[in-house]
Amino acid sequence: MSAESIVASPKRRRRDEVRHIAWLWLGLTILLVLFSIWVPARLMGPPASPTMRAVESTMTVFSIAASPVAALVWAIAIYSLFRWKSRGEPTEDGPPFRGNGPVTASWAIVSSVLCVFLLIWGLAEMTSTTSPAEASNPLVVNVTGQQWVWTFSYPDQGDVESDQLYLPLNRPVVFHVSSRDVIHSFWVVQMGIKVDANPGVTTKTSVTPDKLGVFDIRCAELCGLRHADMETSAHVVNPADFAAWITQNGGHT
Amino acid sequence: MTAALVDQPVEPVSTAGGMLRRLNLVTAIAGGLILGLAGWLISHSLLQDDDLGSDQVVLVTLSCWAAGFMIGIGALNGPIGWALGRDLRHEDELFLAGKDQGVARYFRFTTDHKVVGIQYLVVTMVLFAFGGTLAMLIRTNLISPHSHFLNPQTYNAIVGLHGLIMIIATIIMVTGPFGNFIMPIMIGARDMAFPRLNALSLWLIVAAIPTILSAAVLGGIPTGWVGYAPLADQAPPGMDAYSVFIIIFAVSSAVAGANITTTVLTMRARGMSWNRTPIFVYGTVASVGLAIPAFPLFMASQVLLQVDRTQGGQFFVASGGGSPWLYSNLFWLMGHPEVYVILIPALAALMELTPVFSRRPLFSFNAAVISIAGIVGLSIMVWAHHMYASGWAPDLNGPFMLTTEMISVPTGLLFLVILGTVWRGRIWTTVPMMATYAMLWNFIIGGITGIYLSDVPADYALHGSMFVTAHFHYTLMGAGLTGAIGALAYWFPKMTGRMLNERAGYISFWFVQIGFNVTFLGMFAVGLAGQPRRVVTYAQLFAAGNFVSTIGAYSIGIGMLVLLYAVINSWLHGQVAPANPWGAKTLEWTVPNPIPLENFEVLPVVTSDAYGYGEEDEPASGIDPEREPVLAGASADLGPRPVGASNVEGGP
Amino acid sequence: MTTTAEVPVPGQHHDDVDAVGRRQLTGVCLLILADVAFVGALIFSYFYLRGLNTSNAWLSDGAATAPIWVGWAIAAALVVSAGFFRWALAGLRKGNLDRLVSGIGVAVVIVLLDAAAQVVQIMSFSFKPDANAYASSVYTLAGANLFHLVLTGLVGLGVWNRARIGKYTAADPWQVHIIAIWWVWIAVAGIGGALTTSFIASPNIGS
């Protein structure tokens, strides 16, 4: 117990330590929240679908929710490195307390609450990002992966085939994804959707593109020699332009 | 001269050990080469194929190599002797344990757990050196989108090899060296429960390493370390080397897991009840115990893959009724427990050393044990979060999201245990303690990024991207490998009898940790922006982030070379270590350096746990590093008991 | 860690036989756990592929199948051998060493004959492993069972030889006891394999 004897007023000193850590915690939390608001979603680029918008807000919200947790751990760690550091080998022991029931319990409860929040948020997000496209009159696109190209065909438009994806603006799309050889993964980057292309079965994913432009399609599952080159483009165009493109390629709308 | 000799009794030529006297690493390699060559010739002529390295031939040859190696090292002598009824005499056991053999015992089928621990340490370092070199090649290729340093074929082969070698190295990096060398002494045992199985597990890995290296010349592993079928069905014979390696490794880890678990369950010192058992022991048992049911699933996946590759089987071929989802389910049923097999012992080692360098009792021992148990329990129920986007069972994504996010609760408790331990401690910032701080930084980042990936829609956007690569490097390297380096620096004086060069240790620490964060924060950025994993080249958009990552990786490389230098130099010429340089209270620090063959002259009886810093009934620690083990009076309930030793093992 | 020392007993260097026996039992049970996971993975693979029936090709129309009774016969022989082994163990517990040797001997002979029967079954399947997923699965399960039988036969020969030269006594039956547990497990695994391969046609036809 020699650790206590050298301190004039241990109680006050302990209060000061907690206060300093609280300030450090607050400061780090503010920095991390600012980081969460500005950085992760921005790195993901402008969203091209409600799905991607939902994913980006998830990234921001989860980052904000995690900020006080990370800030607390780092605040205590950083503080201990400066305030409680011993010069060389310590000549005395620290206080011998072996735990603190209320602290442990609240730590577990708070992390459980955060965990429940993550789950509810995730389930709500899953519902909102999958249901709309299945609702009404979706455009069906068959996506076929093979080493190392993507092929898109439009079964309801006279089986028009293309190696570039054309989609009309604001119409829900359902992709029926399959593969001719190994596993590929169909990923429309700016729309935030991805599903594996498996040989022998058809998997589905859906999205409603809501931004005009050209977006990236990449293969996200290592599929052999030219995996890195298995890229193509998704063109989101006005419905009239889409109809024109279909007709031009021998299909009907 | 003659007179002096006549007076001395002539030493009889010792026959202890029998045939094992003549077997060592050289005969093992010879046996492996002879049987491997025979297997190659026979299978090649039987199959009458013109292609010298078909899948069948490679499978037979590599299996024969491993069998020949194990025969040559003497692994079969024990079972055959047992079957013939020739039980070991005491001097045979001592020979097997490496008595009076000097350095030669490190190159034999030696059963002493300390020898096996050192062998594991060297094997781990060799694997890291190889896997790290491959990492440098990968990052060099990715320094710019137009580097063309590696062609796509070589690149894919290297990516798979790097992944697999690093996974194996991280699996054994803590439970191999420290679980074998330190843990038995920590629990007050004279050796492991099954010393011969211990040697077997080590030499199986040694036999397997050349097979995985042979993949490099057999076309590599172009599938990534996961070996996903059906890409694996069409891969070159390097894939057969992968299968043989995994099958041998799974046997080795089952044997090691059964051995370590039995040791802890049955051989703890008298008085070492579960609440006095050090937390590192819990971490070790949790890891190897989790591996026992997990790795056989990996082994099964490779058996099925070999049926596909060599017998034309249809397990993973969709047109024949097979399914790639079978492979990915078997793989991840092993694969997710496996990341905790890697992490738990590393975190437990840090929890073990944090009280020593904080001079504080471990904060909430019970919470630490509960959280380890919780992680183990949940880890077998989360595998399909690797398969959210695979389409195998979209309706299960919600439940798997739940179990995955629940793991953050026990993991969070581990942070509390460490923070509570440093709270108002007397922090001694040695290299091992710095590893704890680095873990606190890195593992928070690794954990939080894991939460994004556990969220199903966010995972749809991020799965298969560099974001995932950065995330698991933050956990397995930032927390796992950092913990293992901390453990190495902490136990180095006990294992080698010399202090690890502190200055070199700090230099290495900062190069590695700063380089690590630069590398993988850059990788997070390009992953969020949409760069896929395992690509040989990428869009111009990602050029800046990749350049930064590569520079960071070189810094890690420099730091690791410094660490390698520090280890070799300190091992050979370092300052001689006192028995207990850190003033720690676990049992391994009570035995002298060098540690005698059976560790304890007299077996200790434990009357308290190892975390009594600052408590009344003990003198303050850290004052006299050379002091004798504290011998307090035995509690009344501890009656006399025969002194145990554990060099016997008659079972099959 | 506060410790006290035990008084060393000169010359005594081994734990008592029951401590060693229990330790070995623990270790073997853990190894059996690993084998349970392995066999379980093979059985899981069978039912998973059968349930998925990808491309309707688990067992295409008219494809050859293995007669169910052969698998059950091999499993039944395994059960009988395990029974003999346990009978031998019970004899050892009563101190009847002749019964020990003869019981183990019969058990080993049955297992080795069973292994031969398993080889004959594998050679005489009316399909090749590349026919369909069913065929691959049946071959693999049969192969795993053969591996069990051969391994057990070798261990059985060893324990028979040791019993013959008098290594076991009623006071230390641990090794025989432990091997009996292994024997029961491979019988259970054999039944598991026979049961699995009794479910042939996929319930998931069409689509």
Side-chain angles (χ1 to χ4, degrees), chain A residues 1-4 6 10 13-14 17-18 21 39-41 43-45 51-52 55 58-60 62-63 66-67 69-70 72-74 76-78 80-81 84-101 103-105 107-108 111-112 115-116 118-123 125-126 129-130 147-148 181-183 185 187 189 192-196 198-203 205 216 218-229 231, chain B residues 152-153 156 159 222-224 226 228-231 234 318 324-325 357-365 367 389-392 394 397-398 401-402 405-406 408-409 412-413 415-416 419-420 422-429 434 437 440-442 444-445 448 451-452 455-465 467 524-525 527-537 539 541-542 581-583 585 609 611-616 619-623 625:
Chain A
M1 303 303 273
S2 53
E4 302 305 305
I6 57 163
R13 186 184 135 146
R14 262 180 261 167
E17 288 171 349
V18 172
I21 289 174
V39 180
L43 280 170
M44 297 181 86
T51 307
M52 189 61 170
V55 168
T58 301
M59 299 297 289
T60 306
F62 280 17
S63 303
S67 294
V69 180
L72 178 60
V73 171
W74 291 342
I76 297 174
I78 292 168
S80 72
L81 261 179
W84 295 324
K85 184 177 183 316
S86 143
R87 281 172 200 282
E89 182 172 356
T91 51
E92 55 170 22
D93 286 356
F97 63 94
R98 283 170 168 266
N100 184 325
V103 169
T104 311
W107 187 282
S111 53
S112 305
C115 175
V116 170
L118 297 175
L119 180 73
I120 293 173
W121 176 279
L123 289 175
E125 188 194 9
M126 273 170 80
T129 51
T130 48
Q147 289 169 326
W148 293 275
D181 35 49
V182 300
I183 304 174
S185 195
W187 180 18
V189 179
I193 55 162
K194 180 181 294 137
V195 72
D196 281 6
N198 293 286
V201 287
T202 302
T203 50
T205 185
D216 300 314
R218 299 202 176 93
C219 176
E221 186 63 63
L222 178 59
C223 58
L225 198 60
R226 296 273 167 207
H227 165 58
D229 301 328
E231 299 181 322
Chain B
Q153 194 168 0
N156 287 354
V159 165
T223 56
V226 294
Y228 266 12
L231 183 60
Q234 56 167 243
W325 290 331
F357 298 107
S358 308
R359 294 291 191 258
R360 286 259 298 108
L362 188 68
F363 183 89
S364 194
F365 180 81
S390 75
W392 82 289
N397 284 354
M401 182 163 75
L402 167 70
E405 285 170 353
M406 274 167 66
S408 63
V409 177
L413 274 180
F415 281 100
L416 176 70
L419 292 176
V422 300
W423 187 269
R424 294 177 49 227
R426 304 289 177 268
I427 312 296
W428 185 10
T429 50
M434 294 308 287
Y437 281 100
L440 288 176
W441 174 266
N442 295 335
I444 276 284
I445 298 174
I448 289 171
I451 285 170
Y452 307 139
D455 182 79
V456 175
D459 184 68
Y460 287 156
L462 297 171
H463 175 80
S465 76
F467 188 88
F524 276 130
L528 285 170
Q531 183 187 340
R533 292 170 71 175
R534 298 170 174 146
V535 286
V536 64
T537 181
L541 168 69
F542 312 121
W582 315 119
K585 293 173 191 282
D609 76 2
Y611 306 118
Y613 294 96
E615 285 172 3
E616 302 280 355
S621 55
I623 293 167

Side-chain angles (χ1 to χ4, degrees), chain B residues 244-521:
Chain B
V244 172
F245 177 73
I246 293 303
I247 290 170
I248 299 174
F249 180 73
V251 174
S252 164
S253 67
V255 166
N259 191 10
I260 291 178
T261 308
T262 306
T263 306
V264 173
L265 289 179
T266 64
M267 294 178 66
R268 279 166 298 132
R270 192 139 175 80
M272 187 178 274
S273 52
W274 285 111
N275 60 358
R276 291 177 190 157
T277 304
I279 197 70
F280 177 66
V281 178
Y282 279 90
T284 305
V285 169
S287 167
V288 298
L290 195 52
I292 290 174
F295 287 113
L297 305 178
F298 200 3
M299 177 167 164
S301 74
Q302 295 312 307
V303 170
L304 304 191
L305 181 64
Q306 283 306 312
V307 174
D308 267 20
R309 288 177 61 89
T310 63
Q311 308 299 320
Q314 305 288 338
F315 282 112
F316 310 126
V317 183
S319 60
S323 171
W325 290 331
L326 172 62
Y327 185 88
S328 40
N329 270 299
L330 286 175
F331 182 84
W332 289 115
L333 269 164
M334 173 287 300
H336 209 82
E338 170 261 345
V339 303
Y340 293 103
V341 169
I342 294 170
L343 257 179
I344 291 173
L347 296 181
L350 293 179
M351 286 196 281
E352 191 63 54
L353 61 84
T354 301
V356 176
F357 298 107
S358 308
R359 294 291 191 258
R360 286 259 298 108
L362 188 68
F363 183 89
S364 194
F365 180 81
N366 290 344
V369 173
I370 290 169
S371 71
I372 287 177
I375 292 173
V376 167
L378 284 171
S379 73
I380 56 179
M381 295 188 274
V382 298
W383 79 93
H385 67 218
H386 297 269
M387 300 165 65
Y388 284 156
S390 75
W392 82 289
D395 296 340
L396 291 181
N397 284 354
F400 277 106
M401 182 163 75
L402 167 70
T403 52
T404 305
E405 285 170 353
M406 274 167 66
I407 264 195
S408 63
V409 177
T411 312
L413 274 180
L414 292 181
F415 281 100
L416 176 70
V417 168
I418 288 182
L419 292 176
T421 306
V422 300
W423 187 269
R424 294 177 49 227
R426 304 289 177 268
I427 312 296
W428 185 10
T429 50
T430 55
V431 173
M433 190 60 188
M434 294 308 287
T436 301
Y437 281 100
M439 184 280 285
L440 288 176
W441 174 266
N442 295 335
F443 196 34
I444 276 284
I445 298 174
I448 289 171
T449 50
I451 285 170
Y452 307 139
L453 293 170
S454 74
D455 182 79
V456 175
D459 184 68
Y460 287 156
L462 297 171
H463 175 80
S465 76
M466 280 298 210
F467 188 88
V468 177
T469 314
H471 156 71
F472 71 72
H473 279 88
Y474 257 94
T475 55
L476 298 185
M477 185 177 177
L481 180 56
T482 298
I485 292 175
L488 175 65
Y490 177 56
W491 279 305
F492 193 85
K494 187 51 67 183
M495 294 174 74
T496 65
R498 292 175 186 273
M499 300 300 290
L500 185 65
N501 184 329
E502 207 174 6
R503 191 186 171 80
Y506 283 125
I507 293 172
S508 161
F509 175 86
W510 287 111
F511 266 103
V512 169
Q513 292 301 333
I514 293 174
F516 170 79
N517 278 278
V518 168
T519 306
F520 293 102
L521 287 175

Side-chain angles (χ1 to χ4, degrees), chain C residues 73-85 103-119 145-157 179 182-184 186-187:
Chain C
I74 289 171
L78 203 40
V79 173
V80 171
S81 80
F84 270 105
F85 198 91
I104 295 177
V106 174
V108 172
V109 169
I110 296 176
V111 158
L112 292 177
L113 288 176
D114 213 21
Q118 184 71 77
V119 172
N145 200 43
L146 177 61
F147 180 77
H148 267 168
L149 289 167
V150 171
L151 185 64
T152 309
L154 292 175
V155 172
L157 281 175
I179 292 167
W182 166 262
W183 218 291
V184 170
I186 63 146

Side-chain angles (χ1 to χ4, degrees), chain B residues 79-129:
Chain B
I80 291 173
W82 170 82
L84 297 176
R86 288 193 209 124
D87 286 339
L88 295 179
R89 298 164 298 162
H90 184 57
E91 56 263 38
D92 295 328
E93 283 169 5
L94 288 179
F95 181 87
L96 268 173
K99 188 175 165 53
D100 303 331
Q101 289 167 45
V103 179
R105 69 190 194 278
Y106 293 103
F107 300 94
R108 282 207 172 115
F109 195 79
T110 304
T111 56
D112 180 19
H113 71 99
K114 299 183 286 297
V115 174
V116 176
I118 296 290
Q119 289 168 328
Y120 261 110
L121 181 63
V122 172
V123 166
T124 308
M125 283 173 27
V126 168
L127 287 175
F128 273 123

